[in-house]
Amino acid sequence: MMQQDLLTASEFDQAASRDLDIQDNPKIASRQPAYFQQLTRELANKVGDDFQFDSGLKVFTSLDPVSQHELEQALVKTIPTLTSTAGPSLEGAAVAVDRHSGEIRAMVGGKRTGYDGFNRALNASRQIGSLAKPAVYLTALQHPEQYSLASTLQDKPISLKSSKGKVWTPRNYDRQFRGEVPLYQALAKSLNVPTVQLGMSLGIPEVVATFEKLGVDKKEIRPVPSMFLGSFSLTPLQVAQMYQTLTNSGKKASLSALRSVINTDGEVIYQSIPKVSQSINQQAAWLTTYAMKKGVQEGTGRYLNRQFAWAPWRGKRGRVMTPETVGLSVWMAVRLPPFGWVETTISLLS
């Protein structure tokens, strides 16, 4: 540069005397730290010893910068408006995936979107509450000879006694009982009592099996009646996997951010080939997803329909309030040209 008269002699000497700022522990530079934590996990698992931060590998991902920016802005703008009622400790995390391929388009690990630390999207397990309910209805709809969207469910008081003699009496959010309700409406309005009644009729083992088929590790589920209402804990990423399977006509595709890796010789050392498997009955999955569409139109997700009536939303929200934690999780899917169907799981955590 000095030879081209772009630098003076003194500027050259000043630049040449500076340290190179070489990192002792090099790592991937990222403006999306949560996403790249997921990517680093996958590189370690799928590439193994061939992956080194300083090895010159070319890494190709499914990151969509537009979706990433919008997801970050959603948390940045929303959380401050909620802290007045939820408290300053309120946190958040979000994951957006392509529901057909399972590719992760965006991920945010906390309200400080650029913080490269604890990633709540990957590591913050919280009770999922009503996000568990669709699996109960999905289990029922896999028996078309017994259940349909129009089937009548009982919305009457129920009390269940545990092996230790403790009595559990579930209640609806409005403390009301409706006598009988159509199956689709019980899910759309997220009614607790009909969900428990249905779950007990189906049996705990069968509903647990449905969760497994959706991609939930059986070890995460405590097989007790309260599981029908989401008394077990999952991370936002695990919830995204569950709903990816459900809303992709029952076809499961493992969630992934890594597409391919090429070494310095131009050799492809890893190539992702999206694979899907029919894990759940297609008709039952479609009917359950339709009931979640009704949830946006006339149930607990009506706000979305009022604000974005042009979009074909499907959605489910889950709210948990315990002495230890308050949480709200929302799953949404919407068709967004040119991206197709995009699925988003957002969790607000205390």
Side-chain angles (χ1 to χ4, degrees), residues 65-97:
V66 175
S67 296
Q68 180 68 35
H69 174 74
E70 294 298 328
L71 209 56
E72 290 175 359
Q73 290 302 302
L75 288 185
V76 167
K77 293 177 181 178
T78 302
I79 289 182
T81 67
L82 301 176
T83 52
S84 59
T85 54
S89 62
L90 184 68
E91 267 291 354
V95 183
V97 307

Side-chain angles (χ1 to χ4, degrees), residues 3 75 138 208 220 267 277 305:
Q3 291 174 349
L75 288 185
L138 174 63
V208 170
E220 305 285 355
E267 299 173 335
S277 58
N305 201 46

Side-chain angles (χ1 to χ4, degrees), residues 215-258:
V216 178
D217 190 333
K218 186 178 181 179
K219 297 177 182 177
E220 305 285 355
I221 306 171
R222 184 166 174 247
V224 294
S226 60
M227 78 173 196
F228 302 135
L229 305 183
S231 62
F232 57 95
S233 297
L234 296 177
T235 67
L237 187 67
Q238 289 172 318
V239 172
Q241 178 68 82
M242 182 173 75
Y243 276 88
Q244 178 279 320
T245 307
L246 171 58
T247 59
N248 190 30
S249 300
K251 299 173 184 176
K252 180 184 174 185
S254 297
L255 303 191
S256 175
L258 183 63

